[in-house]
Amino acid sequence: MKKLNFKNMKKTTKDQIVTYAMVVIVFLIAQAMIFTGNMSSLMQGLLVPLCIYSIVAIGLNLCVGYLGELSLGHAGFMCIGAFSSAFFTKCMVDTGMNENLRFLLALIIGTLTAAVFGFLIGIPVLRLRGDYLAIVTLAFGEIIKNVINVLYIGRDSNGFHISIKDANSLNLGEDGVMLINGAKGITGTPHQSSFLLGIVLILISLVVVFHLVNSRSGRAIMAIRDNRIAAESVGINITKYKLMAFSISAAIAGMGGVLYAHNLATLTALPANFGYNMSIMILVFVVLGGMGSFRGSIIAAVILTMLPEVLRGMADYRMLIYAIVLIAMMLFNWAPKAIEWRQRHSLKKIFKKKTEEVQE
């Protein structure tokens, strides 16, 4: 049996192993800090949101970094995943179903529902490009949020009652239960999200996207990104692969939404939760982490989510430092001189390793 030789591996395989190892190491360090009491309760409360934003950023990076389409509607897919899964959980919470099985089914439902919406929205939307695509996906996210805010669903012995007027118009019986209460959202969702579960979902998301981008379909998707006309001229089905990438991207965002929904006692479709700013924030994670770099998206999501809380004690200077860090990360990732420095630095390291090997 041949030994595993890291040096002889393909670059893509090395990147995958490093990314998986990074996620696992961070999890082990965080668990050790919690066990020894070296992590504050505030930071512990941020662990699940860090996983949520990392998952959604991975999904958006597939759309922006590999498909090459600018989407500002991933908060909408996250919202769909959150509400569809929370709705299922709310319906099944009193049936005596095993809670782990219930959450697994909720996860599947939330992910598949987001994927279906991604497919349906992608059919007309992906005919557009550039700014037009961004505007339409942004409008989709706002529509989803506003529809949920006027949606009232209840259940009694006669079945489900739906209204877009108010809760009283449902005319529920004495045994009636309100499931979705308009702008008040869904209340009483069991808290089943955890840091361990978040890490597992991050790893699942990475496995899916890595296998996709390194497959024949992934190469077709990147060919479409690089030159649509050339890709079409060699027989690549543009519509098929764009819909595939967009649907998978939406499904991963929906998976993050499921984790988000089961981390809160009350789920509401407010602008702060699933609005325009959420989509922009996820896009910032992708851009600063490097488009096409899933590891970079995770790192950017973790740093930029933790930073405002770490700097909270600095009062008025907190957001100033946050802005400076954003600028520094942007320059480090995209400035030509910074890119040149990183390449030169990495070449030096490679040359040093080879020299040591020759000397040995």
Short mmCIF file of all heavy atoms in Angstrom, two decimals, residues 326-352:
data_model
loop_
_atom_site.label_atom_id
_atom_site.label_comp_id
_atom_site.label_asym_id
_atom_site.label_seq_id
_atom_site.Cartn_x
_atom_site.Cartn_y
_atom_site.Cartn_z
N LEU A 326 -11.92 45.91 6.83
CA LEU A 326 -12.51 45.61 5.53
C LEU A 326 -11.61 46.09 4.39
O LEU A 326 -11.35 45.36 3.43
CB LEU A 326 -13.88 46.27 5.41
CG LEU A 326 -15.08 45.59 6.09
CD1 LEU A 326 -16.32 46.43 5.89
CD2 LEU A 326 -15.31 44.21 5.52
N ILE A 327 -11.13 47.34 4.52
CA ILE A 327 -10.27 47.90 3.48
C ILE A 327 -8.97 47.12 3.39
O ILE A 327 -8.48 46.81 2.29
CB ILE A 327 -9.99 49.39 3.78
CG1 ILE A 327 -11.29 50.20 3.69
CG2 ILE A 327 -8.95 49.95 2.81
CD1 ILE A 327 -11.18 51.62 4.18
N ALA A 328 -8.39 46.76 4.54
CA ALA A 328 -7.13 46.02 4.55
C ALA A 328 -7.30 44.65 3.90
O ALA A 328 -6.44 44.22 3.12
CB ALA A 328 -6.64 45.87 5.99
N MET A 329 -8.41 43.97 4.20
CA MET A 329 -8.65 42.66 3.59
C MET A 329 -8.85 42.77 2.09
O MET A 329 -8.36 41.94 1.32
CB MET A 329 -9.86 42.00 4.24
CG MET A 329 -9.65 41.54 5.67
SD MET A 329 -11.11 40.74 6.37
CE MET A 329 -11.23 39.25 5.37
N MET A 330 -9.55 43.81 1.66
CA MET A 330 -9.77 44.01 0.23
C MET A 330 -8.45 44.25 -0.49
O MET A 330 -8.17 43.66 -1.54
CB MET A 330 -10.71 45.20 0.02
CG MET A 330 -10.99 45.51 -1.44
SD MET A 330 -11.92 44.20 -2.26
CE MET A 330 -13.55 44.52 -1.61
N LEU A 331 -7.60 45.10 0.08
CA LEU A 331 -6.30 45.38 -0.53
C LEU A 331 -5.42 44.13 -0.55
O LEU A 331 -4.73 43.84 -1.54
CB LEU A 331 -5.59 46.51 0.23
CG LEU A 331 -6.23 47.90 0.11
CD1 LEU A 331 -5.52 48.88 1.02
CD2 LEU A 331 -6.18 48.38 -1.34
N PHE A 332 -5.45 43.37 0.53
CA PHE A 332 -4.60 42.18 0.62
C PHE A 332 -5.02 41.14 -0.42
O PHE A 332 -4.18 40.43 -0.98
CB PHE A 332 -4.69 41.58 2.02
CG PHE A 332 -3.81 40.37 2.22
CD1 PHE A 332 -2.45 40.51 2.39
CD2 PHE A 332 -4.36 39.09 2.22
CE1 PHE A 332 -1.63 39.39 2.56
CE2 PHE A 332 -3.56 37.97 2.39
CZ PHE A 332 -2.20 38.13 2.56
N ASN A 333 -6.32 41.04 -0.68
CA ASN A 333 -6.83 40.02 -1.60
C ASN A 333 -6.76 40.44 -3.06
O ASN A 333 -6.56 39.60 -3.94
CB ASN A 333 -8.27 39.65 -1.25
CG ASN A 333 -8.35 38.68 -0.09
OD1 ASN A 333 -7.51 37.81 0.05
ND2 ASN A 333 -9.35 38.84 0.74
N TRP A 334 -6.94 41.74 -3.34
CA TRP A 334 -7.15 42.15 -4.72
C TRP A 334 -6.14 43.15 -5.26
O TRP A 334 -6.07 43.34 -6.48
CB TRP A 334 -8.55 42.74 -4.87
CG TRP A 334 -9.62 41.75 -4.56
CD1 TRP A 334 -10.37 41.68 -3.42
CD2 TRP A 334 -10.01 40.63 -5.36
NE1 TRP A 334 -11.22 40.60 -3.47
CE2 TRP A 334 -11.04 39.95 -4.65
CE3 TRP A 334 -9.62 40.15 -6.60
CZ2 TRP A 334 -11.65 38.81 -5.15
CZ3 TRP A 334 -10.24 39.02 -7.10
CH2 TRP A 334 -11.24 38.37 -6.38
N ALA A 335 -5.36 43.83 -4.42
CA ALA A 335 -4.38 44.79 -4.92
C ALA A 335 -3.28 44.04 -5.68
O ALA A 335 -2.76 43.03 -5.19
CB ALA A 335 -3.78 45.59 -3.77
N PRO A 336 -2.88 44.52 -6.87
CA PRO A 336 -1.85 43.82 -7.66
C PRO A 336 -0.54 43.62 -6.90
O PRO A 336 0.06 42.54 -7.00
CB PRO A 336 -1.65 44.76 -8.87
CG PRO A 336 -2.95 45.49 -8.99
CD PRO A 336 -3.44 45.67 -7.59
N LYS A 337 -0.11 44.61 -6.16
CA LYS A 337 1.14 44.49 -5.40
C LYS A 337 1.02 43.43 -4.31
O LYS A 337 1.97 42.68 -4.05
CB LYS A 337 1.51 45.84 -4.77
CG LYS A 337 1.93 46.90 -5.77
CD LYS A 337 3.24 46.53 -6.45
CE LYS A 337 3.69 47.63 -7.39
NZ LYS A 337 4.96 47.27 -8.09
N ALA A 338 -0.14 43.36 -3.67
CA ALA A 338 -0.34 42.36 -2.62
C ALA A 338 -0.36 40.95 -3.22
O ALA A 338 0.20 40.02 -2.64
CB ALA A 338 -1.66 42.64 -1.88
N ILE A 339 -1.00 40.81 -4.38
CA ILE A 339 -1.03 39.51 -5.04
C ILE A 339 0.38 39.09 -5.43
O ILE A 339 0.80 37.94 -5.24
CB ILE A 339 -1.94 39.57 -6.29
CG1 ILE A 339 -3.40 39.81 -5.87
CG2 ILE A 339 -1.82 38.29 -7.11
CD1 ILE A 339 -4.34 40.06 -7.03
N GLU A 340 1.14 40.07 -5.96
CA GLU A 340 2.52 39.78 -6.34
C GLU A 340 3.35 39.38 -5.13
O GLU A 340 4.16 38.44 -5.20
CB GLU A 340 3.11 41.02 -7.01
CG GLU A 340 4.54 40.84 -7.51
CD GLU A 340 5.09 42.12 -8.10
OE1 GLU A 340 4.28 43.00 -8.47
OE2 GLU A 340 6.32 42.24 -8.19
N TRP A 341 3.17 40.06 -4.02
CA TRP A 341 3.91 39.73 -2.79
C TRP A 341 3.57 38.34 -2.29
O TRP A 341 4.46 37.58 -1.90
CB TRP A 341 3.58 40.77 -1.71
CG TRP A 341 4.29 40.49 -0.41
CD1 TRP A 341 5.54 40.87 -0.05
CD2 TRP A 341 3.76 39.75 0.70
NE1 TRP A 341 5.83 40.42 1.21
CE2 TRP A 341 4.77 39.72 1.70
CE3 TRP A 341 2.55 39.10 0.95
CZ2 TRP A 341 4.59 39.09 2.92
CZ3 TRP A 341 2.38 38.47 2.16
CH2 TRP A 341 3.38 38.46 3.13
N ARG A 342 2.28 37.98 -2.33
CA ARG A 342 1.89 36.65 -1.88
C ARG A 342 2.48 35.56 -2.75
O ARG A 342 2.93 34.52 -2.27
CB ARG A 342 0.35 36.52 -1.87
CG ARG A 342 -0.33 37.39 -0.84
CD ARG A 342 -1.70 36.84 -0.45
NE ARG A 342 -2.51 36.50 -1.60
CZ ARG A 342 -3.30 37.35 -2.25
NH1 ARG A 342 -3.38 38.61 -1.84
NH2 ARG A 342 -4.04 36.96 -3.27
N GLN A 343 2.48 35.80 -4.07
CA GLN A 343 3.05 34.80 -4.96
C GLN A 343 4.55 34.65 -4.74
O GLN A 343 5.07 33.53 -4.73
CB GLN A 343 2.77 35.20 -6.41
CG GLN A 343 1.31 35.12 -6.80
CD GLN A 343 1.05 35.65 -8.19
OE1 GLN A 343 1.89 36.34 -8.77
NE2 GLN A 343 -0.13 35.34 -8.74
N ARG A 344 5.23 35.78 -4.57
CA ARG A 344 6.67 35.74 -4.34
C ARG A 344 6.98 35.04 -3.02
O ARG A 344 7.93 34.25 -2.92
CB ARG A 344 7.24 37.16 -4.35
CG ARG A 344 8.76 37.20 -4.28
CD ARG A 344 9.28 38.60 -4.55
NE ARG A 344 8.81 39.55 -3.56
CZ ARG A 344 7.94 40.52 -3.78
NH1 ARG A 344 7.43 40.65 -5.00
NH2 ARG A 344 7.57 41.36 -2.83
N HIS A 345 6.17 35.32 -2.02
CA HIS A 345 6.38 34.71 -0.71
C HIS A 345 6.16 33.20 -0.78
O HIS A 345 6.93 32.43 -0.20
CB HIS A 345 5.41 35.34 0.30
CG HIS A 345 5.58 34.84 1.70
ND1 HIS A 345 6.69 35.11 2.45
CD2 HIS A 345 4.77 34.06 2.47
CE1 HIS A 345 6.58 34.52 3.63
NE2 HIS A 345 5.41 33.88 3.66
N SER A 346 5.14 32.79 -1.50
CA SER A 346 4.87 31.36 -1.59
C SER A 346 5.96 30.65 -2.39
O SER A 346 6.35 29.53 -2.09
CB SER A 346 3.50 31.12 -2.24
OG SER A 346 3.48 31.64 -3.55
N LEU A 347 6.49 31.31 -3.43
CA LEU A 347 7.57 30.73 -4.21
C LEU A 347 8.83 30.56 -3.37
O LEU A 347 9.55 29.57 -3.50
CB LEU A 347 7.87 31.62 -5.43
CG LEU A 347 6.83 31.57 -6.56
CD1 LEU A 347 7.17 32.61 -7.61
CD2 LEU A 347 6.77 30.19 -7.17
N LYS A 348 9.09 31.53 -2.50
CA LYS A 348 10.24 31.42 -1.61
C LYS A 348 10.12 30.21 -0.70
O LYS A 348 11.08 29.48 -0.46
CB LYS A 348 10.38 32.69 -0.77
CG LYS A 348 10.98 33.87 -1.52
CD LYS A 348 11.15 35.06 -0.59
CE LYS A 348 11.82 36.23 -1.31
NZ LYS A 348 11.98 37.40 -0.41
N LYS A 349 8.93 30.01 -0.20
CA LYS A 349 8.71 28.87 0.70
C LYS A 349 8.92 27.56 -0.04
O LYS A 349 9.53 26.62 0.47
CB LYS A 349 7.31 28.94 1.29
CG LYS A 349 7.12 30.09 2.27
CD LYS A 349 5.70 30.19 2.76
CE LYS A 349 5.33 29.03 3.65
NZ LYS A 349 3.97 29.16 4.21
N ILE A 350 8.40 27.51 -1.28
CA ILE A 350 8.55 26.28 -2.07
C ILE A 350 10.03 26.03 -2.38
O ILE A 350 10.52 24.91 -2.27
CB ILE A 350 7.73 26.39 -3.37
CG1 ILE A 350 6.23 26.43 -3.05
CG2 ILE A 350 8.04 25.23 -4.30
CD1 ILE A 350 5.36 26.75 -4.24
N PHE A 351 10.74 27.10 -2.76
CA PHE A 351 12.16 26.96 -3.08
C PHE A 351 12.95 26.51 -1.85
O PHE A 351 13.87 25.67 -1.95
CB PHE A 351 12.70 28.30 -3.60
CG PHE A 351 14.17 28.27 -3.93
CD1 PHE A 351 14.61 27.69 -5.11
CD2 PHE A 351 15.11 28.82 -3.06
CE1 PHE A 351 15.96 27.65 -5.42
CE2 PHE A 351 16.45 28.79 -3.36
CZ PHE A 351 16.89 28.21 -4.54
N LYS A 352 12.61 27.05 -0.69
CA LYS A 352 13.30 26.69 0.54
C LYS A 352 13.08 25.21 0.87
O LYS A 352 14.02 24.50 1.25
CB LYS A 352 12.78 27.56 1.69
CG LYS A 352 13.50 27.34 3.01
CD LYS A 352 12.96 28.27 4.07
CE LYS A 352 13.66 28.02 5.41
NZ LYS A 352 13.14 28.90 6.47
#
